[in-house]
């Protein structure tokens, strides 16, 4: 599933600073985008995957990132 893939990518390929294996570059299909913080690269990674965990309670439209749902709320 997409959720399992996201978990694998964040744990095995992005890593964590306390484990000494933190990588802040997106390697998805030669994307190459670089970030300053881990949460920025994990948020960016959702753009490449079809994970829509943030659902509008009014119209049931799904969004990949929380901030995209917040922006969408303005249309209602």
């Amino acid at each position: 599933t997409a959720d399992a893939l996201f978990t694998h990518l964040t744990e095995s390929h992005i890593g964590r600073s306390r484990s000494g294996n933190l990588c802040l570059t997106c390697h998805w299909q030669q994307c190459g985008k670089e970030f300053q913080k881990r949460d920025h690269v994990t948020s960016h990674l959702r753009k490449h995957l079809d994970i829509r965990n943030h659902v509008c309670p009014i119209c049931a439209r799904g969004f990949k990132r929380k901030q995209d749902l917040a922006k969408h709320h303005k249309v209602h």
Side-chain angles (χ1 to χ4, degrees):
T1 68
D3 285 324
L5 177 59
F6 179 76
T7 300
H8 167 74
L9 291 171
T10 56
E11 291 177 1
S12 300
H13 298 277
I14 295 173
R16 296 199 174 271
S17 59
R18 69 176 179 253
S19 301
N21 64 344
L22 182 61
C23 177
L24 297 176
T25 303
C26 178
H27 295 287
W28 186 270
Q29 297 180 349
Q30 312 303 323
C31 176
K33 208 164 186 185
E34 294 184 10
F35 301 89
Q36 297 295 316
K37 296 182 178 181
R38 184 181 191 275
D39 62 328
H40 294 174
V41 70
T42 56
S43 176
H44 168 78
L45 188 58
R46 290 183 185 277
K47 289 183 176 182
H48 296 298
L49 302 172
D50 193 28
I51 301 173
R52 299 178 184 270
N53 292 337
H54 307 283
V55 179
C56 176
I58 298 169
C59 68
R61 184 174 173 190
F63 296 89
K64 296 179 180 184
R65 301 181 309 161
K66 187 177 181 179
Q67 61 262 38
D68 295 333
L69 173 59
K71 192 187 313 182
H72 165 77
H73 275 284
K74 295 178 182 178
V75 303
H76 289 297

